[in-house]
Amino acid sequence: MKFRRSERLVDMTHYLMNHPRELVSLTYFSQCYHSAKSSISEDLVIIKETFESQGIGTLQTLPGAAGGVKYIPKVKKEHAEEFINRLCQLIADPDRLLPGGYLFMTDLLGDSQILNEVGKHLASAVSNRDIDVIMTVATKGIPIAQTVAHHLNVPFIVVRRDSIVTEGSTVSINYVSGSSKRLQMMSLSKRSLKEGAKVLIVDDFMKAGGTINGMVNLLAEFNAIVAGTAVLVESEFEEERLVDDYISLIKLTDVNVKERQINVSKGNYFTVQSDFL
């Protein structure tokens, strides 16, 4: 079956966006659409230009017999600023305040559109890093980790507070919560992670960084490599934070329960991330 150019463009775009960071040979596309490689190359130029102009991402071309093309998720800086500003407004809503100064975040993590944008922005910041798997801790970090994993086209694993019989043998460690200073436990199935894997740690919230530091220590038990840390919200912390190298979208600077006021600002996303479209 011979494809028209318009049909090829639509189908190739769909394929590339569903296989981010995967090297696809021109031969594969040529055979799929019964078209010359020169025509495929012209189509890819159109897709690349459209992706970049619309803030979708970019295409990387690798020359040679073993080469091909990769879709890399990226965002425009102005799009990122607009989205993060909107997130700040949503999180600063005083109706989010819960007893004890906690914030209600479930609605944001349950909004598929917001969640997808969070995942894409975090993935964009690390899309050029060598990452094999995403790691998070149960439970609220799971949807964020899942969508980041989708945009990076890698699996994700979940660290649990206790062992579950259906996960088989586990590796468990004790760690000290950075803010409460309490001794806690976390565990991970031995089958979840291969030795030497490069792991991006993802979580919804970070204060002192005790939980993330615990995951770093747990990764050491697997001889795995920490490829980075990405969080949705970091909280202002007066003492020394246990984690230095991280990416955050939002920074929670103050919560005043009495006056029902939540002060938030942009995280360090624009400081540590400069590779925009």
Side-chain angles (χ1 to χ4, degrees), residues 8-121:
R8 286 202 313 266
L9 287 170
V10 171
D11 199 60
M12 288 170 67
T13 299
H14 179 265
Y15 184 90
L16 289 166
M17 292 189 69
N18 280 281
H19 297 81
R21 303 201 318 155
E22 179 180 308
L23 184 63
V24 186
S25 70
L26 267 62
T27 300
Y28 173 80
F29 283 139
S30 178
Q31 292 175 348
C32 280
Y33 308 121
H34 304 285
S35 301
K37 288 185 180 179
S38 57
S39 298
I40 298 297
S41 295
E42 293 173 359
D43 292 345
L44 291 172
V45 169
I46 296 172
I47 294 173
K48 176 182 170 68
E49 291 175 348
T50 304
F51 277 5
E52 292 178 350
S53 67
Q54 297 301 311
I56 296 171
T58 188
L59 296 185
Q60 287 183 355
T61 303
L62 282 72
V69 63
K70 284 183 181 180
Y71 161 60
I72 307 296
K74 287 289 178 186
V75 296
K76 285 187 173 183
K77 188 174 183 179
E78 55 266 35
H79 290 177
E81 288 176 338
E82 180 182 343
F83 173 67
I84 292 175
N85 284 335
R86 183 161 68 93
L87 263 185
C88 286
Q89 293 175 357
L90 290 171
I91 294 174
D93 184 350
D95 287 340
R96 295 194 174 279
L97 277 173
L98 297 172
Y102 295 99
L103 300 185
F104 181 77
M105 298 284 288
T106 305
D107 60 327
L108 298 182
L109 298 179
D111 187 311
S112 60
Q113 295 296 324
I114 292 176
L115 192 60
N116 181 64
E117 286 296 315
V118 168
K120 182 174 181 181
H121 280 72

Side-chain angles (χ1 to χ4, degrees), residues 128-148:
N128 290 328
R129 300 188 191 185
D130 192 3
I131 296 170
D132 299 316
V133 63
I134 308 298
M135 170 189 270
T136 192
V137 64
T139 57
K140 289 186 178 180
I142 294 176
I144 301 176
Q146 185 175 18
T147 189
V148 172

Side-chain angles (χ1 to χ4, degrees), residues 58-223:
T58 188
L59 296 185
Q60 287 183 355
T61 303
L62 282 72
V69 63
K70 284 183 181 180
Y71 161 60
I72 307 296
K74 287 289 178 186
V75 296
K76 285 187 173 183
K77 188 174 183 179
E78 55 266 35
H79 290 177
E81 288 176 338
E82 180 182 343
F83 173 67
I84 292 175
N85 284 335
R86 183 161 68 93
L87 263 185
C88 286
Q89 293 175 357
L90 290 171
I91 294 174
D93 184 350
D95 287 340
R96 295 194 174 279
L97 277 173
L98 297 172
Y102 295 99
L103 300 185
F104 181 77
M105 298 284 288
T106 305
D107 60 327
L108 298 182
L109 298 179
D111 187 311
S112 60
Q113 295 296 324
I114 292 176
L115 192 60
N116 181 64
E117 286 296 315
V118 168
K120 182 174 181 181
H121 280 72
L122 292 178
S124 172
V126 298
S127 60
N128 290 328
R129 300 188 191 185
D130 192 3
I131 296 170
D132 299 316
V133 63
I134 308 298
M135 170 189 270
T136 192
V137 64
T139 57
K140 289 186 178 180
I142 294 176
I144 301 176
Q146 185 175 18
T147 189
V148 172
H150 168 74
H151 285 289
L152 293 179
N153 196 18
V154 295
F156 75 98
I157 56 177
V158 179
V159 175
R160 302 193 181 277
R161 306 289 184 180
D162 50 17
S163 300
I164 297 178
V165 66
T166 53
E167 294 198 339
S169 299
T170 61
V171 174
S172 300
I173 66 164
N174 293 320
Y175 72 99
V176 178
S177 170
S179 53
S180 66
K181 308 298 183 183
R182 291 186 302 175
L183 187 66
Q184 301 186 48
M185 188 193 81
M186 61 172 59
S187 65
L188 182 66
S189 169
K190 287 184 177 180
R191 302 187 187 192
S192 296
L193 196 60
K194 294 181 180 179
E195 184 174 339
K198 301 173 183 66
V199 182
L200 176 70
I201 297 173
V202 172
D203 209 354
D204 65 316
F205 190 87
M206 179 179 72
K207 190 172 185 181
T211 300
I212 290 174
N213 192 52
M215 285 191 276
V216 171
N217 293 332
L218 183 57
L219 287 174
E221 297 293 324
F222 287 82
N223 293 320

